[in-house]
Amino acid sequence: MARSIDPAAKAERGFLPPRNDEERFLMRHVEDLARAAQTRSIPRYSGFLSDREQDLARAALGRAGMQEGWRFDGGYPDAERRVLCIEPEYCDADSPVCCVQLCCRAQAGAALPAHKDYLGSLMGLGLTREKIGDILVSPQWADVLVGSSVADFLLQEWTQAGRVHLRLSEIGPEEIAVPEQPAKLLRDTVASLRLDSVLAAGFSLSRSAAADLIRSGKVEENWMSCEKPDAPVQQGDVLTARGLGKCLVESVGGQSRKGRTGITMKRFL
């Protein structure tokens, strides 16, 4: 799984303030978790957070005056989606993340599930996105990171993804298999760091086609739906377009003589 950029680099480039009510709500929620952990000396945990949401959580913790006693845990090193763990000193806390490994049993000739099929099946069981971490898809099986509170539920209730039957077991962190995700590196220039411009560069679209995708609700920026073509994009952002896939804004360079901004993107295949 690809991570964007490290926290120190993010701090150097500056923090982008919350863009909408959902992001403001998340920051208030993190502040509430921090205050509860500090005043009651008990651990507090968020749901799984995207890379952008982790940035917001860091800012909220700073606003709450909490410089230590917290960490992010996605179940394995370099996890993309991670839980914020606020654990006061001397508290004895179990990991909030479990890994459920599933093996697929499909009829001859039937296609095995892809990432979106597993995710759709999980959400069909009534789980919200914050309950689900990374889904690591390999041939014949997948490792699914979930909150410890829902692991037992999945072991009992999750039997199929589409038409494919599943056999599940809980595994330890040392058994997690992280498949290598093929990607294509793209270098381009954009007129501005607007979502429609960057999306067009990442998926080889015209800017108008990218804007139409965004307005139709088929695009997510850092796993959050965005319907504004002029939404700002920055280094480290992950853009997802339904039916097209995912790309990462790996770096943002300087401007050319014509005023265009150079970007490097990684498109996952």
Side-chain angles (χ1 to χ4, degrees), residues 120-142:
S121 178
L122 285 166
M123 299 187 80
L125 291 174
L127 298 184
T128 56
R129 194 65 181 97
E130 67 175 11
K131 298 290 186 183
I132 308 165
D134 289 355
I135 301 175
L136 307 174
V137 181
S138 300
Q140 304 298 325
W141 80 87

Side-chain angles (χ1 to χ4, degrees), residues 35-211:
R35 280 190 285 268
Q38 288 174 316
T39 58
R40 300 175 63 186
S41 294
I42 54 177
R44 283 288 183 260
Y45 303 101
S46 71
F48 283 95
L49 304 175
S50 69
D51 192 68
R52 164 67 179 165
E53 290 168 332
Q54 291 167 43
D55 276 356
L56 293 166
R58 289 187 187 93
L61 290 167
R63 202 159 68 180
M66 195 166 199
Q67 303 302 321
E68 56 185 21
W70 57 269
R71 62 188 176 87
F72 289 104
D73 184 359
Y76 69 99
D78 295 326
E80 190 170 86
R81 292 179 60 79
R82 299 189 291 173
V83 172
L84 170 64
C85 309
I86 307 175
E87 298 166 332
E89 194 174 5
Y90 305 122
C91 75
D92 186 15
D94 295 329
S95 173
V97 181
C98 287
C99 184
V100 175
Q101 186 176 81
L102 51 92
C103 296
C104 300
R105 189 173 71 256
Q107 295 180 351
L112 293 174
H115 183 284
K116 64 179 181 179
D117 301 314
Y118 291 121
L119 180 59
S121 178
L122 285 166
M123 299 187 80
L125 291 174
L127 298 184
T128 56
R129 194 65 181 97
E130 67 175 11
K131 298 290 186 183
I132 308 165
D134 289 355
I135 301 175
L136 307 174
V137 181
S138 300
Q140 304 298 325
W141 80 87
D143 291 347
V144 182
L145 283 300
V146 296
S148 56
S149 61
V150 301
D152 288 342
F153 168 75
L154 291 184
L155 290 170
Q156 295 175 21
E157 302 294 332
W158 197 18
T159 58
Q160 283 186 250
R163 297 184 179 181
V164 176
H165 294 277
L166 308 176
R167 187 176 71 253
L168 281 70
S169 61
E170 187 174 335
I171 62 173
E174 70 283 353
E175 300 175 85
I176 295 173
V178 183
E180 183 176 350
Q181 190 171 6
K184 179 180 180 181
L185 199 63
L186 304 171
R187 292 183 175 86
D188 206 342
T189 62
V190 292
S192 65
L193 292 174
R194 290 169 44 118
L195 180 56
D196 54 358
S197 293
V198 179
L199 190 76
F203 293 105
S204 302
L205 303 170
S206 68
R207 185 166 166 178
S208 61

Side-chain angles (χ1 to χ4, degrees), residues 16-46:
L16 186 67
R19 310 176 203 183
N20 50 46
D21 289 342
E22 288 82 2
E23 293 193 346
R24 283 185 281 273
F25 175 82
L26 172 63
M27 293 186 72
R28 288 194 297 269
H29 177 59
V30 169
E31 289 184 71
D32 290 342
L33 292 177
R35 280 190 285 268
Q38 288 174 316
T39 58
R40 300 175 63 186
S41 294
I42 54 177
R44 283 288 183 260
Y45 303 101
S46 71

Side-chain angles (χ1 to χ4, degrees), residues 194-197 199 205-220 225-231 240-242:
R194 290 169 44 118
L195 180 56
D196 54 358
S197 293
L199 190 76
L205 303 170
S206 68
R207 185 166 166 178
S208 61
D212 288 343
L213 272 178
I214 296 165
R215 293 191 190 97
S216 65
K218 296 179 180 179
V219 172
E220 292 184 350
S225 179
C226 183
E227 298 181 11
K228 297 180 178 179
D230 63 347
T240 308
R242 195 180 307 164

Side-chain angles (χ1 to χ4, degrees), residues 1-2 80 178-184 246 266-269:
M1 298 292 289
E80 190 170 86
V178 183
E180 183 176 350
Q181 190 171 6
K184 179 180 180 181
K246 178 178 70 174
K266 184 181 288 185
R267 180 175 176 182
F268 298 98
L269 305 175

